[in-house]
Amino acid sequence: MEDMLYLMNSLWVMVSAILVIFMIAGFIMLEAGSTRMKNAGHIAGKTAFTFGLASLVFWAVGFAFIFGDNANFFVGLSNFFYSGAELDLGLSSTVFFVFQLAFAGIAITIALGGFAERAKLSVYVLFTILFSAFVYPVVAHWIWGGGWLAEHGKQDFAGSTVVHLTGAMAALAATILLKPRIGRFNKDGSANAIHGHNQVFTSLGVLILWVGWFGFNAGSTVSVDAGFFGFVALNTQLAAGAGAVAALIISWIVLGKSDIPTILNGALAGLVAITASCAFVDTWAAVVIGLIAGVLVFYGAKLMEKLGIDDPIFALSVHGIPGIWGTLSTGFFATPELATVGQPGLFYGGGFTQLGVQAMGVLASGAFAFVVSFALLFVIKKLLGGLRVSEEEEIMGLDISEHGTYGYPEVFADNQSKAAGK
Amino acid sequence: MEDMLYLMNSLWVMVSAILVIFMIAGFIMLEAGSTRMKNAGHIAGKTAFTFGLASLVFWAVGFAFIFGDNANFFVGLSNFFYSGAELDLGLSSTVFFVFQLAFAGIAITIALGGFAERAKLSVYVLFTILFSAFVYPVVAHWIWGGGWLAEHGKQDFAGSTVVHLTGAMAALAATILLKPRIGRFNKDGSANAIHGHNQVFTSLGVLILWVGWFGFNAGSTVSVDAGFFGFVALNTQLAAGAGAVAALIISWIVLGKSDIPTILNGALAGLVAITASCAFVDTWAAVVIGLIAGVLVFYGAKLMEKLGIDDPIFALSVHGIPGIWGTLSTGFFATPELATVGQPGLFYGGGFTQLGVQAMGVLASGAFAFVVSFALLFVIKKLLGGLRVSEEEEIMGLDISEHGTYGYPEVFADNQSKAAGK
Amino acid sequence: MEDMLYLMNSLWVMVSAILVIFMIAGFIMLEAGSTRMKNAGHIAGKTAFTFGLASLVFWAVGFAFIFGDNANFFVGLSNFFYSGAELDLGLSSTVFFVFQLAFAGIAITIALGGFAERAKLSVYVLFTILFSAFVYPVVAHWIWGGGWLAEHGKQDFAGSTVVHLTGAMAALAATILLKPRIGRFNKDGSANAIHGHNQVFTSLGVLILWVGWFGFNAGSTVSVDAGFFGFVALNTQLAAGAGAVAALIISWIVLGKSDIPTILNGALAGLVAITASCAFVDTWAAVVIGLIAGVLVFYGAKLMEKLGIDDPIFALSVHGIPGIWGTLSTGFFATPELATVGQPGLFYGGGFTQLGVQAMGVLASGAFAFVVSFALLFVIKKLLGGLRVSEEEEIMGLDISEHGTYGYPEVFADNQSKAAGK
């Protein structure tokens, strides 16, 4: 009987891990669709590459820092260059490892969203290594690896903080250091929209992410126990739908029209927000959490513009702000029945206890991710003599500047001939 | 032992539900690829949106109408705003709910195919709500929720009637009320092809649908019992292949060339047709059912043209006619061994009994879906002062008219500048 | 207990089969992205079609030749037109069948990569039938069906030889007989790059293949026993990452820039290479195998160019050479603990025994696949009066020549009007 549960847990988490890995394909399409044609090959290809690189780094050191034994308050310290050793987790340890590796891959991918359309390829390579080796594992250890925030009772079921906020804070550090893309802001501080080149790509990307999120959230049960993953999946679906609906309504009211990227970001924001609380709240609360996330993502994007922050593929407005909201939402909506580990939320008589812990977790994790990412990028900047391609290269596009071939060679045929000196 | 089966059923249907949800991504690519560039962002984005909206509606009322207790012959009446209550189904009820929610999402997506390239965004919003709340749930209750057609022994294993025909009939009502797209038919009644803009998108969409269909059909076992889902998957695969082969051959013979959309529609038609009968027929019969569907989809598209009906993304020729054929095919090919609930088919000595029930189911469901959808759209038309964007907007494209930004802004850069008054 | 294992094995392999079928979508995007706009609809659509056709052929005869009873040293001979009969495999036989059908579909898809951008549609149809009926099944019988190479202890866990090398050798035969595409080589033997038209498609394709590969490799355990599929998945992931990293480094060193197709091919080469050995080697060895594959694919593509062989979508450099390397790698790295069937590798004191058997398997399988494919294509050439479209048609593109409509009609609007005589 025990054995059967072990096998079933392994099977479910294996499927979930594959779904989370599929989210990389979602980001490829979302990011390529949200940027310009001249950078599309670069954006798509580097996302595949950095996932591969992050996998090796996670295998070498990341996993050890999060889940290793001999842990201090900061990181764990065993299972470097993980060999597949059995770790007594109630499911196959290698399956658990692949699942965690996939999460690390998502975190760096979100982070790199802040670099889009202007950072050098070498910056991507170096930051991927450092973030995957150190930034993400430390936060993950604090919350999921038995670190100090876990000891304080911080709840983050599938990673609104660990994955989404951490990634978004690194993206923020990057976009501040890199400065906005050419033409994004005028001298008077007013903003120009830089439209992504392909909303079909963006839509496909969002749907792939949506699908993958069932692995992300429902797989984070790490068990088939009582078929509870179904409840988590249901909350996930409702929050996604609610986010899309809220974003459509708010943008229609405010702008008179509802553009596709806003609607899609609404769905993503719902997904990001429910990630922390999907196992702890009632279905109606999942709808409310999603609706609020859909409004937040709309105003969040406006806020970034107002602050003069260039958030090319919405790392901050989609993953950052809804990630914070989602983490806090547990402190409001967690029910006594479902919050078996943490405290019930404010609306269920749990008082401010859990809400306070959640806020502390947001602040500590967010600050750590931002400060360390900023410092690392600052060092990389000194090392490489700058994070950003030249103005000429940025105008020409990173497909050519970083890779020597266009992602759409037939569209840019003339340019390409010129670039090749023909 | 019981518990293990419960968990395994839950796991299998969870995976299947995720696969069916992934079909939305398939429709995004299929529909975007089958329409024109100026509408591509709209088509892709609204498909994601309406899926989200339909999910909320299904959660609020749709599920209750189909599977609720206190059912009358028309609908069920419990579990509104479904909270996750256990319903004693042999698998996790929340998993079953998500699986059913996904089916409802597919049905509305098929229906909206008939609206393509000319309906207002507000029409999509309103019809999605009404169809998901009422039209689809009523038919689903009749056949799957223990309603009057179920009592008569109507068989529809995974929804050739419930999902595909119902969706197609709503699409028919819409396309009649909306009238054909500008330029689709000449004054003398002859037709002009309006080619979709991207056959790679269409091909990807079809493959995603194909993959998702294993969740759709094999998941409809709602159980892992005896590994029977493998047999259903095998029949599904054979019918898809047969449909593609038949469509290639018939179009090659008739037209001298076989165009890609026709071949792809052949595969889809095979999948739609086998959906009703996949659990009841032998493998050779699955091949025959698929072959006939591949021929039907070719002539079905021609028939629509001849009737002056604009079927922009083949809702009628792919989902309607093969949906009818698939439902009837059970009455011909169901074997005594496999037709454990219904009667064996005509070719197995079962006489006309099952065939008659199947035909009655087609007529009743199809008529209900058509008439009610027509009436609802008629009301929406009065309410909104028309279902269709203006002629000028249709020519400009719905990306701009309904959302204010192009899906391909760099392709339409000049137009966009003009639209923005720059 | 037995029953539960049977069901769980069936469930895992069903999921894996669906993942492998999804790889067809990956090839659609990879191949369409790697070729030119004028051929994109054709390339994408024919890949879907040939998969459907191959499924029917595999059902009719392919499966019987591989796994049938009454086997001679050459092929098996039962279960033609497979009806779903139970075969006592420890899992649902129909699930196993669909899994094997998917592998056959991948093999023909790889083979057809060598035909790209110049072969007639009728050639695709005929060769798909013959390869799926005869070439692939014979090699698969030899190694997986208990044939003579299996008796000699040839190890090929998930098909580096059976699927990838066999497909690549057929592609080699085709590309030799078809001769290079117009403009690929100059009269002095120097090569011109013919860039694929869409690197976003290529990137998406690679990620879909990557995801599908977990079904391909980890599913080849054909069992959930001990959760071992997790270990196989881990090795698969590490080799993919290592391949991408090695390809980026080597191309950056040699060319000064690292282009996206090379990086992506590195990931694929890592996946192809680990396919044979994923269940037999330590995690560090998986990294090494992937790194070497990433270097091999870079120099392999250069070698093909130097030899004047046109390898349009890298069938030879991605599937051929890494397929050979992967097969041999088992002979080097298989550990005594994991190599429970074969011998440990050279580096683990197993001597040259296993390495020799692996080399023999490569030679025998590769030679058979090449010679028979060459002969079959030679016959098809005589039969059809040539394998290749006319020079005029090749310049116009195969979308028009083979299907009568462009895959991107709005891009080619003017040409299309002309072609239609308007």
Side-chain angles (χ1 to χ4, degrees), chain A residues 173-195:
Chain A
T175 204
I176 290 174
L177 275 165
L178 279 161
K179 304 215 174 73
R181 290 167 293 173
I182 296 171
R184 181 70 177 89
F185 294 104
N186 300 316
K187 285 192 177 159
D188 64 358
S190 63
N192 303 306
I194 298 182
H195 293 291

Side-chain angles (χ1 to χ4, degrees), chain B residues 7-69:
Chain B
L7 294 178
M8 244 185 287
N9 294 341
S10 302
L11 179 40
W12 167 235
V13 180
M14 184 78 252
V15 171
S16 296
I18 296 169
L19 285 167
V20 178
I21 290 173
F22 188 35
M23 291 173 77
I24 300 294
F27 279 110
I28 285 177
M29 299 315 285
L30 173 65
E31 297 199 7
S34 303
T35 50
R36 284 162 295 177
M37 296 190 87
K38 62 185 178 182
N39 301 317
H42 160 73
I43 288 274
K46 70 83 194 153
T47 302
F49 171 75
T50 53
F51 174 55
L53 177 57
S55 300
L56 297 187
V57 174
F58 187 81
W59 167 71
V61 298
F63 183 76
F65 285 159
I66 306 175
F67 295 103
D69 291 333

Side-chain angles (χ1 to χ4, degrees), chain A residues 2-22:
Chain A
E2 279 301 293
D3 283 358
M4 291 291 136
L5 270 179
Y6 175 95
L7 293 178
M8 245 186 287
N9 294 342
S10 302
L11 178 41
W12 167 237
V13 180
M14 185 77 252
V15 170
S16 296
I18 295 169
L19 285 167
V20 178
I21 290 173
F22 188 34

Side-chain angles (χ1 to χ4, degrees), chain A residues 9 95 144 214 414:
Chain A
N9 294 342
V95 169
W144 289 345
F214 292 107
D414 292 342

Side-chain angles (χ1 to χ4, degrees), chain B residues 195-250:
Chain B
H195 293 291
H197 82 283
N198 193 323
Q199 292 182 359
V200 181
F201 285 3
T202 310
S203 301
L204 175 63
V206 168
L207 246 291
I208 292 175
L209 290 170
W210 192 325
V211 163
W213 230 290
F214 292 106
F216 207 91
N217 283 4
S220 288
T221 54
V222 199
S223 142
V224 295
D225 193 25
F228 184 63
F229 51 75
F231 183 77
V232 176
L234 170 54
N235 274 348
T236 300
Q237 175 67 19
L238 293 176
V245 169
L248 178 130
I249 292 171
I250 192 76

Side-chain angles (χ1 to χ4, degrees), chain A residues 1 33 50 56 97 115-116 119 135 149 152-153 165 194 196 264 292 307 327 370 379 393:
Chain A
M1 206 70 158
T50 52
L56 297 187
F97 180 94
F115 296 64
V135 183
L149 281 170
H152 280 85
L165 182 61
I194 298 182
L264 295 170
I292 293 173
L307 295 174
T327 306
F370 177 77
V379 172
E393 288 172 322

Side-chain angles (χ1 to χ4, degrees), chain B residues 312-383:
Chain B
I313 35 191
F314 307 105
L316 302 169
S317 54
V318 167
H319 300 276
I321 296 168
I324 294 171
W325 159 237
T327 306
L328 298 180
S329 73
T330 298
F332 291 111
F333 294 102
T335 74
E337 294 76 27
L338 294 166
T340 49
V341 186
Q343 298 296 314
L346 182 63
F347 300 157
Y348 287 87
F352 286 90
T353 322
Q354 191 64 40
L355 192 59
V357 175
Q358 298 300 96
M360 180 176 70
V362 163
L363 282 174
S365 305
F368 176 84
F370 177 78
V371 170
V372 178
S373 296
F374 196 95
L376 292 171
L377 283 165
F378 193 81
V379 173
I380 293 173
K381 188 174 182 176
K382 294 291 157 200
L383 213 70

